[in-house]
Amino acid sequence: MKPGWLAWECIVFAMFVCSTSCAPLWRRRRDAAAGGSAKRAYIFAGTGVSTLAMILSVARGTLGVRSFLGFPSEQVYRGSAMWETLFGMVLAFPIVCWIFVPVYYRLSTNSVYEYLEMRFGSIWVRRIAAATFLLRQVLNLAVTVYTPTVALHAVLALPHWASAAALTVVSIVFNLLGGLAAAIRADVIQTLTMILVSGAFIVQATVKAGGPATVFNGNLEGGRLKFFQFTWDPTVRVDTLSAIIGQLFMSISIYGCQQTFVQRYCSMSSESRVKKTLLANVPAVSVLFSLSWIVGMALYAVYKYCDPLATSKISAPDEILPFYVQDQFGFLPGMLGLFLGSLFNGALSFLVSNVNSLSTVTWEDFVSAAPSFKGISDKQQLTIIKIIGVIYSIVIMCLSLCVGMAGGVVEGSLLVTSATSGALLGVFVLAALCPAANGTGAVWGMIASHIITTWMAVGRLLYVKKNIAMLPTSVEGCTNTTLNYLSRPVGINQTLAKLAPLLQSMNISLTEIRPPESFIMSNLHKMYSISYMWYAVIGTVTCVTIGVIISLLTWKETDRYDEKLLHPLVAKLSRKLPGRIRTLPIEKSNIEVKEDKESSEKTDQTVVDAKPTVFATTSSRLFEAYEVRRSPSPARTRL
C-alpha cells in the first residue's frame, strides 16, 4: 500500500460507518408514531417497513456477518462441504410457513415464549425456553463481534479488544436511539453493500486468475468442489447428509422458534404477508449464501500456488479475505476502507437487531415479573429495555474476546447454534404438534435435551482433537522473497542425538504397558466425536421423546388447554382420534378468530383477533393460571 493511503482508507471507513449508522435513524420519530407507542415501535417496527426490506432483513439475519468473512475462508481451506447446508436452510422456510407461523402469529404477544406459557400453563417452560434463546444469541453475537476484529487486526494491526470496544459503543448508541425499524433499514443497507463489494471481489479475482473457466477448473482440481458426499459416518465434520438434516433442524429452530425472527413476522400486517416474505427468502438466501462461496472460489484460484497462510502472511484462515483486499486492491484507494466498513457495519446491524430481541425477551419473560415493575408506564418499560440492551452489549463484547479459541468464525457459530437448537425446537414441536404434551413433560424434555447436547459439546471440546484438517495448499508459485517463513537449519544437540534410541525404546515400552482403554471411555469418546452438525437433531429427538413419555405418565385434568393453541391440522386430527380429551370444551374457549382478508380468497387460514378478551381470565383454566404483564396498547391491525 502506498504511503499516505492508509489514512485515506481510515477516512473512508469512518465515513461509511457514520453514514450507514445515521441513515437508518433518520425516520425514528415517524417509526414511533406508526407504532402507536414508543415501546411497540421499538419492539415491532410500527408499520413503516416494506416487504422487500423485510425480505432482505430476514435474509441478512439468516446468514449473519459470518458469511462475508467465514465462508470464503471455509471454501479456500476446507472445501465446499459446508456449502450444502444451503439445502437445509431453504427447506426450513416452507416448513416454518405451514407449521409455526399459523400457531403463534395470531396471539399478538411481545415474546414468542409467552405462547409456551399459554399452551402449557407453566412459567418454567417459558423461562427455560427464553433462557435457551438468550444463551444462544449471546454466544452467537460474541462470534459476530469477533468477526470484524479479525479483519481490523489483519489489516491495521488493531488489537481485538479495541475493535470490539468500538463496535460495542456504536451499537449502544444505535440501540438507545433506534428500534427494530432502524435495525431493519440498517440490514438493507448492509445487504446491498455486501452484494456490491462481493461482486467487485469476484470480478477482480476472476480476471486475476485468468477467467471463470480457470477459477472453476482450479477449484475442481484442488478438491475444493465436492458435492453429494454421503459418508454415513456421524463423526465426519460435515457431509451431505449432516449438512442437509442437521442444518434443517437448526434453521427451523432459528426461523420458527427464535424471537429475532418472530419479532419481524409479528410486525407485519397479515399472516399471508409473513408467508409470502418467508417463501421469497428462498431465492434471496440462496443467492446471498452462494455469493460468499463464489468469492472463496475466486480467492483460491488467485492463491492456489502461493497460500498466504502457509507463507505466514496471515496468522489464521479467517484473515485471507482482508489480506486479499489489501494485496489486490491497492490500485483502488478507498476499497479497503469500504470493505472494513461493510464488515464493521454488518456486525453492527446484526448486533443491534439481536440486542433488541434479547432485551425484549429478558424484560417480558423475566424482569417484568418482579413486583416493583408491575404497573409501570410504557415509557418506563422502554427505558428498562434499553438499559438491559446496554448490559447485553457489554457482556457480548467481553465474550467475543474468547471466540478465537473455538476454532474460527464458522466453527464457533455452528457449534453454539446446533448445541442449543434441539431443546428450543423440541419444546415448540411439543406445544404445536403434540396434543398429549403437558408442562411437566415439556420441562423435563428440555432439561434432558440440554444435558445430552451440553455433555457432547463439552466432551468434544475437551477430548476430541481441536485442529480441523485442512485441504492441502501450495507455495510453489511464491517468489524467493515470500519464502521467509521456511525455518532455518538448527544445530543438532549431540547429547540428545545419542540419547534418542534410548528414549525411543522407553516410549515403546511405556506404550506396551499402558492399560487398555475401558469399554465405557471408548464409547464416550465415540459419542464425543459425533459432529456438532447432529447436535440439533439429537437434542430435538431427545426433547420430544422424553417430553411425550413424561406427559403421558403425569397428565392431569388441570393440564387441559385451548385447542386453538395447537396447529389447526393437528387440532382437527386430535378431535377424530380415540382416547382422552385433552382440550377445553368449545363453549369454554375464549380465543376468537377472524378471517385474514389478504388470504381469504385462497386459503382458510385464520388469525386471532387481538382484543383484550383474548387474554381474559374467565371460563378457562389456562388463562386463570396465566397472568398477562403487558401494558395496554393498541391492537395490531390485520390488513
Side-chain angles (χ1 to χ4, degrees):
M1 183 177 294
K2 296 181 180 180
W5 278 23
L6 182 59
W8 170 248
E9 301 294 347
C10 293
I11 292 173
V12 172
F13 169 77
M15 291 177 60
F16 180 79
V17 170
C18 291
S19 61
T20 53
S21 299
C22 295
L25 298 173
W26 188 258
R27 296 182 54 189
R28 64 191 186 95
R29 294 187 182 276
R30 190 179 301 179
D31 294 336
S37 72
K39 179 186 173 185
R40 291 190 68 80
Y42 185 84
I43 296 175
F44 287 118
T47 57
V49 179
S50 66
T51 301
L52 179 59
M54 190 65 70
I55 291 172
L56 293 176
S57 179
V58 172
R60 185 61 189 158
T62 299
L63 303 178
V65 75
R66 69 180 185 182
S67 66
F68 199 28
L69 189 68
F71 291 161
S73 161
E74 181 77 14
Q75 173 68 24
V76 172
Y77 292 108
R78 299 184 182 97
S80 61
M82 199 71 73
W83 196 343
E84 293 182 291
T85 56
L86 175 62
F87 303 144
M89 288 183 187
V90 298
L91 287 173
F93 283 112
I95 294 176
V96 171
C97 279
W98 292 314
I99 293 182
F100 290 104
V101 171
V103 176
Y104 51 67
Y105 173 82
R106 50 192 174 174
L107 297 177
S108 187
T109 61
N110 288 342
S111 167
V112 65
Y113 310 109
E114 192 174 357
Y115 159 70
L116 296 176
E117 184 180 359
M118 297 169 65
R119 165 64 176 84
F120 294 116
S122 170
I123 189 65
W124 287 108
V125 178
R126 173 181 179 178
R127 288 180 175 173
I128 294 175
T132 302
F133 161 75
L134 295 176
L135 176 65
R136 174 166 75 182
Q137 285 308 99
V138 166
L139 295 177
N140 264 325
L141 288 173
V143 178
T144 298
V145 172
Y146 172 78
T147 303
T149 68
V150 173
L152 292 171
H153 176 73
V155 176
L156 304 178
L158 196 65
H160 290 286
W161 66 265
S163 304
L167 181 61
T168 302
V169 170
V170 177
S171 70
I172 288 174
V173 174
F174 194 102
N175 215 13
L176 292 175
L177 297 178
L180 182 60
I184 291 173
R185 285 193 287 271
D187 285 342
V188 173
I189 294 173
Q190 168 56 22
T191 302
L192 297 177
T193 305
M194 188 193 77
I195 293 173
L196 293 175
V197 173
S198 298
F201 292 164
I202 293 171
V203 171
Q204 197 280 339
T206 301
V207 172
K208 179 75 175 179
T214 303
V215 172
F216 179 78
N217 292 330
N219 279 266
L220 198 61
E221 294 169 1
R224 264 63 183 179
L225 292 178
K226 290 185 178 180
F227 297 100
F228 303 108
Q229 301 291 311
F230 291 92
T231 64
W232 307 105
D233 183 0
T235 63
V236 173
R237 177 175 176 257
V238 58
D239 65 352
T240 301
L241 189 64
S242 64
I244 296 175
I245 304 299
Q247 185 63 53
L248 176 63
F249 276 69
M250 281 189 277
S251 295
I252 294 175
S253 174
I254 293 171
Y255 307 147
C257 314
Q258 184 167 297
Q259 175 73 11
T260 314
F261 289 94
V262 175
Q263 203 168 319
R264 284 166 165 77
Y265 308 155
C266 292
S267 70
M268 303 182 76
S269 57
S270 68
E271 183 181 328
S272 60
R273 187 183 169 199
V274 175
K275 292 183 176 180
K276 291 175 184 177
T277 300
L278 284 175
L279 294 178
N281 264 279
V282 172
V285 169
S286 300
V287 171
L288 291 176
F289 188 84
S290 299
L291 200 62
S292 297
W293 292 95
I294 296 173
V295 171
M297 291 176 60
L299 290 183
Y300 176 74
V302 171
Y303 296 115
K304 182 179 179 181
Y305 297 111
C306 189
D307 175 27
L309 182 62
T311 57
S312 297
K313 296 295 183 182
I314 58 177
S315 58
D318 289 331
E319 295 178 0
I320 187 170
L321 185 57
F323 173 80
Y324 162 76
V325 179
Q326 190 177 18
D327 181 44
Q328 298 294 326
F329 277 89
F331 67 92
L332 186 60
M335 187 63 186
L336 181 60
L338 183 63
F339 164 71
L340 294 176
S342 180
L343 196 61
F344 187 92
N345 190 61
L348 174 64
S349 63
F350 193 71
L351 179 62
V352 168
S353 60
N354 280 270
V355 166
N356 181 300
S357 299
L358 287 172
S359 53
T360 300
V361 169
T362 303
W363 164 255
E364 295 291 338
D365 297 327
F366 295 97
V367 180
S368 63
S372 57
F373 293 120
K374 289 187 177 181
I376 64 176
S377 66
D378 268 6
K379 186 176 181 180
Q380 292 172 319
Q381 292 181 43
L382 180 58
T383 300
I384 296 172
I385 289 174
K386 290 183 176 181
I387 292 173
I388 294 172
V390 172
I391 296 173
Y392 270 120
S393 298
I394 297 172
V395 171
I396 290 165
M397 179 194 70
C398 297
L399 290 175
S400 69
L401 303 178
C402 306
V403 172
M405 297 184 293
V409 172
V410 175
E411 196 80 6
S413 179
L414 285 176
L415 178 62
V416 169
T417 302
S418 186
T420 55
S421 289
L424 204 55
L425 176 57
V427 73
F428 275 91
V429 169
L430 286 172
L433 304 180
C434 298
N438 66 1
T440 304
V443 167
W444 286 107
M446 281 192 289
I447 292 175
S449 177
H450 279 308
I451 291 174
I452 293 295
T453 54
T454 303
W455 184 12
M456 294 176 67
V458 172
R460 180 181 181 86
L461 292 174
L462 294 178
Y463 296 106
V464 178
K465 187 178 180 181
K466 297 181 181 180
N467 294 330
I468 304 168
M470 294 192 295
L471 296 175
T473 57
S474 174
V475 294
E476 64 183 32
C478 297
T479 62
N480 291 333
T481 57
T482 62
L483 294 178
N484 296 328
Y485 71 97
L486 293 175
S487 58
R488 297 178 179 179
V490 179
I492 299 176
N493 188 312
Q494 298 298 326
T495 304
L496 291 178
K498 294 178 181 179
L499 292 175
L502 177 61
L503 295 174
Q504 186 176 6
S505 63
M506 290 177 61
N507 182 50
I508 295 174
S509 62
L510 288 174
T511 303
E512 291 174 351
I513 64 174
R514 182 178 298 169
E517 191 174 43
S518 67
F519 175 79
I520 295 177
M521 288 304 300
S522 175
N523 284 277
L524 282 177
H525 284 161
K526 290 180 181 178
M527 185 181 76
Y528 297 150
S529 299
I530 294 176
S531 171
Y532 53 78
M533 295 297 294
W534 291 106
Y535 289 177
V537 181
I538 296 170
T540 302
V541 173
T542 300
C543 181
V544 173
T545 303
I546 298 297
V548 169
I549 292 174
I550 293 181
S551 295
L552 292 174
L553 295 175
T554 62
W555 181 269
K556 305 181 296 292
E557 278 300 311
T558 53
D559 291 329
R560 296 177 69 180
Y561 54 89
D562 197 310
E563 74 170 17
K564 293 183 178 68
L565 297 171
L566 291 173
H567 187 277
L569 181 59
V570 174
K572 186 182 296 185
L573 290 175
S574 67
R575 289 196 297 267
K576 297 180 180 180
L577 294 175
R580 176 183 293 178
I581 298 176
R582 303 177 186 275
T583 57
L584 294 168
I586 296 177
E587 62 272 11
K588 289 189 177 182
S589 173
N590 60 352
I591 296 182
E592 301 176 10
V593 297
K594 71 174 183 179
E595 193 172 6
D596 184 354
K597 294 182 181 179
E598 278 193 22
S599 58
S600 59
E601 297 180 359
K602 299 180 181 179
T603 67
D604 294 330
Q605 299 163 354
T606 58
V607 296
V608 171
D609 191 1
K611 299 177 180 179
T613 55
V614 171
F615 300 103
T617 57
T618 57
S619 304
S620 171
R621 179 212 60 81
L622 170 68
F623 295 107
E624 287 173 359
Y626 176 72
E627 180 182 6
V628 181
R629 292 184 298 272
R630 295 186 302 135
S631 59
S633 58
R636 277 202 314 277
T637 304
R638 306 288 188 228
L639 301 180

